Amino acid sequence: MVLGNEHDVNLAVAAAKEAYKTFSQTTKEERIAYLQKLHDAVAKRQDELVAVMVLEYGGTYQFCKNSVNNMLSAFTTAMATLNTFEFERTVGNSKVLMQPLGVVGLITPWNSSNSFICNKLATAISAGSTVVIKPSEMSAMQTQLLLECFHEAGLPKGVFNVVNGLGTVVGNAITNHPDIAKISFTGSTVVGKSIARGAIDTLKRVTLELGGKSPNVILDDANLETAIPMAVAAAYMNSGQACIAGTRLLVPEHKLDEVNSLVKAAVEKVKVGNPADHDTAVGPMVSKKQYERVQGYIKLGLEEGAKLLIGGEGHPEGLEAGNFVKPTVFTNVKNSMRIAREEIFGPVLSIIAYKDEEDAIAIANDTDYGLQAYVNSSDDARAKRVASRIIAGRVMINALSHDPQAPFGGFKQSGIGREFGVFGLEEYVEPKTLLV
Ligand code: NAD
């Protein structure tokens, strides 16, 4: 990959700005037709798109297949949203026109790079905006294949522009560019904050999808036989490298022993290994650096006095060659420990005991993050009541799934704004009042 620089960003922004003049004037029907073409071009190469994810960062086939499905649903959802979206509204005596913001900068992480790009691009196109995309520097092969699809879709020149490169160079140039009206960023909280700071000078709008430390509340009436395997899957999705991973398992203290043994049994069944195998649940970490980071947290958990239930430091047996880590669970974890507060981004689960429902809610909310939560109960009304009190952008009730129409995003330091569906599109338009 050739690393781009500020000059490349200037060229890309100029092209996007020129294309915006006509693209912002397109009709809903024209935009839907472009979205359909993008969808079809991506659908044609979906097997290759899965394969390149597995190859480039060691994502498991299971996860990558889902991620490519999300790429496709990004376009179909955008088309459905656009169909019913009102760009012209009557408010009081005025007409309100919902206008595209201008050129949008899209900055994405490596852990599901192409699906983030597809969703952000689909929303920008729906609004009538043109874009400059900066994918993760760790996703060059995935970006290359996706761009081949985008090119085949035959969009007007300048509607999408991609500049590969480092965040501190290309990302920074996008953040500071006066001709970019908005940034939609997915990535770490620390970088999100620096983008928000930089964006303020030109008053760019920002949508920030950041990190998480999601609580998974097992209420005392939950069916543990189903809830626990699902909790392990929620913690280890994308080999633990997921912003929405359910990494804090909150369990009633009188059920701690039972949960410990069920979790241990579920983790023993987790297959770690070749990510291309369809039954592999945990593949290697994305990089040596990430491997070492996770090892550091496992060591820290031991030092902090958490009890190791399964896993631990080092490689799993027979997988010494790659960046594989042992699926790890700590129990008797206190929510004040760093392993319970910081995003580890690896297959490390913390089990935390609570006294009663109030205590569970308090622990769930005792975090800087607020992206996602999970609640398990056999009583729907009770689960919804608890879910309504957890500060998180999305709460899964007895579930582990995704709804591409529903808003997604974080409270607190998990971000600003929402993506997907109508709520996502609203963030790419600005109301203009016409008072005659
Ligand atoms: P990261 O923040 O290091 O990088 C994300 C992107 O930002 C990359 O393209 C990077 O090059 C760019 N970047 C880095 N420094 C920059 C700067 N100073 N200015 C502008 N851009 C810059 O994140 P990552 O390691 O690629 O991804 C993992 C993180 O992303 C985790 O914290 C995870 O929780 C988060 N994430 C959040 C969501 C969500 O939807 N909320 C989804 C996936 C990942």
Side-chain angles (χ1 to χ4, degrees):
M1 176 176 79
V2 178
L3 295 175
N5 57 27
E6 197 175 335
H7 176 64
D8 298 311
V9 172
N10 290 340
L11 293 175
V13 175
K17 193 178 171 187
E18 183 60 29
Y20 181 79
K21 289 180 191 160
T22 43
F23 198 72
S24 56
Q25 303 302 314
T26 48
T27 63
K28 251 188 196 187
E29 290 68 31
E30 286 170 307
R31 292 176 203 168
I32 288 174
Y34 288 132
L35 291 167
Q36 185 68 55
K37 284 184 179 168
L38 284 164
H39 171 275
D40 296 348
V42 170
K44 247 200 228 170
R45 301 189 70 179
Q46 50 187 303
D47 292 343
E48 287 169 80
L49 286 159
V50 173
V52 75
M53 281 181 83
V54 175
L55 178 67
E56 186 165 40
Y57 86 95
T60 63
Y61 173 87
Q62 292 175 357
F63 179 84
C64 298
K65 181 92 183 118
N66 266 334
S67 178
V68 171
N69 287 339
N70 289 345
M71 290 164 63
L72 296 171
S73 74
F75 295 114
T76 49
T77 305
M79 286 187 268
T81 304
L82 199 44
N83 247 320
T84 55
F85 194 80
E86 302 282 347
F87 283 97
E88 226 183 285
R89 306 172 190 181
T90 302
V91 180
N93 297 323
S94 303
K95 276 261 166 290
V96 176
L97 308 180
M98 303 304 283
Q99 300 218 308
L101 283 161
V103 175
V104 181
L106 311 179
I107 304 179
T108 56
W110 54 265
N111 69 335
S112 197
S113 176
N114 282 350
S115 94
F116 296 127
I117 292 175
C118 286
N119 181 52
K120 291 177 196 299
L121 175 66
T123 315
I125 286 178
S126 302
S129 278
T130 57
V131 303
V132 175
I133 307 170
K134 195 213 91 62
S136 170
E137 57 273 36
M138 291 167 78
S139 308
M141 291 163 74
Q142 295 166 72
T143 304
Q144 170 69 30
L145 183 53
L146 188 66
L147 287 190
E148 289 172 20
C149 300
F150 287 180
H151 277 288
E152 187 180 319
L155 267 60
K157 248 176 115 173
V159 170
F160 69 87
N161 307 273
V162 178
V163 185
N164 282 312
L166 300 177
T168 46
V169 179
V170 173
N172 194 47
I174 289 174
T175 303
N176 293 325
H177 205 293
D179 288 336
I180 290 187
K182 172 192 168 75
I183 293 184
S184 178
F185 169 78
T186 299
S188 61
T189 294
V190 63
V191 172
K193 286 179 185 176
S194 86
I195 288 176
R197 268 183 225 112
I200 212 74
D201 284 338
T202 46
L203 283 181
K204 286 182 181 60
R205 281 71 181 136
V206 289
T207 300
L208 304 174
E209 297 285 358
L210 311 176
K213 192 75 192 177
S214 302
N216 187 344
V217 181
I218 308 287
L219 291 171
D220 55 10
D221 60 357
N223 177 350
L224 297 180
E225 298 296 328
T226 52
I228 297 304
M230 200 151 65
V232 169
Y236 293 168
M237 72 171 86
N238 205 11
S239 309
Q241 303 166 124
C243 53
I244 55 173
T247 46
R248 291 186 295 143
L249 188 63
L250 275 44
V251 304
E253 60 187 2
H254 67 278
K255 295 212 168 180
L256 183 60
D257 290 343
E258 189 184 353
V259 168
N260 281 345
S261 58
L262 286 169
V263 168
K264 191 160 184 256
V267 173
E268 274 162 359
K269 285 197 203 119
V270 166
K271 182 175 164 191
V272 191
N274 184 349
D277 291 346
H278 291 201
D279 57 347
T280 295
V282 173
M285 299 293 93
V286 65
S287 61
K288 180 101 176 102
K289 191 172 155 211
Q290 189 63 20
Y291 169 84
E292 272 154 14
R293 175 187 162 88
V294 178
Q295 293 299 318
Y297 274 105
I298 296 174
K299 194 161 175 281
L300 177 68
L302 296 168
E303 285 164 7
E304 286 184 307
K307 184 174 165 201
L308 186 67
L309 186 68
I310 187 167
E313 291 176 88
H315 292 91
E317 221 184 287
L319 293 169
E320 287 79 10
N323 296 320
F324 294 97
V325 301
K326 295 180 191 162
T328 294
V329 181
F330 285 107
T331 189
N332 294 2
V333 175
K334 293 197 176 59
N335 202 51
S336 54
M337 293 178 179
R338 281 182 56 201
I339 54 164
R341 305 204 74 81
E342 297 173 16
E343 196 178 43
I344 298 174
F345 237 52
V348 182
L349 174 64
S350 290
I351 302 181
I352 303 168
Y354 66 80
K355 288 189 182 62
D356 53 23
E357 197 177 293
E358 281 305 311
D359 192 32
I361 293 167
I363 297 171
N365 288 336
D366 179 16
T367 168
D368 291 338
Y369 294 109
L371 187 60
Q372 176 142 311
Y374 305 77
V375 175
N376 292 272
S377 168
S378 53
D379 176 345
D380 278 356
R382 184 180 179 204
K384 280 189 194 137
R385 195 178 67 230
V386 171
S388 73
R389 295 184 56 201
I390 297 181
I391 305 166
R394 184 165 76 175
V395 186
M396 302 269 172
I397 298 180
N398 298 323
L400 185 56
S401 59
H402 175 61
D403 181 352
Q405 294 279 4
F408 175 75
F411 280 71
K412 300 197 277 184
Q413 296 191 32
S414 285
I416 296 176
R418 294 292 179 269
E419 292 194 287
F420 296 104
V422 173
F423 293 89
L425 183 48
E426 292 278 353
E427 304 221 359
Y428 282 71
V429 289
E430 193 92 85
K432 177 193 282 179
T433 298
L434 299 184
L435 186 51
V436 181

